[in-house]
Amino acid sequence: MIARRVVVHGMVQGVGFRWSMASEARRAGARGWVRNRSDGTVEAHVEGDQEAVDALVTWAHGGPRLARVTHVEVDDAQPTGAVEFDIEP
């Protein structure tokens, strides 16, 4: 089990990024959460097996069709034992 903190920059709010990321996470088998931040970025905590986490981090570099991702920060994190992938307010 691994975990990553992901912060996505660009035009990523108001384009369905959180909903799309949650759907992709469930498809890949990743767990954690995603939320909008007040600075216009999207932040996520992603955990699971290496393959699931890597798949979601790779997806975040492009995001959904209407998003325009300019930069993605990825840092190691501690797994929290999440059992699903949630969209936070």
Side-chain angles (χ1 to χ4, degrees):
M1 167 94 54
I2 66 164
R4 301 283 185 265
R5 176 181 175 264
V6 180
V7 179
V8 186
H9 299 257
M11 190 179 82
V12 294
Q13 290 189 13
V15 295
F17 200 100
R18 291 178 302 153
W19 302 102
S20 295
M21 182 177 235
S23 177
E24 187 67 20
R26 292 177 187 124
R27 189 192 66 71
R31 297 174 300 280
W33 51 262
V34 62
R35 66 180 170 202
N36 285 339
R37 295 187 347 168
S38 61
D39 64 359
T41 61
V42 170
E43 178 182 23
H45 172 87
V46 182
E47 61 185 64
D49 64 39
Q50 181 85 46
E51 185 177 322
V53 172
D54 287 350
L56 198 56
V57 169
T58 297
W59 177 90
H61 282 81
R65 184 173 55 88
L66 296 177
R68 298 295 175 259
V69 176
T70 59
H71 177 68
V72 180
E73 299 172 46
V74 181
D75 297 301
D76 291 340
Q78 291 297 315
T80 63
V83 295
E84 56 189 29
F85 197 90
D86 297 317
I87 299 170
E88 295 191 351

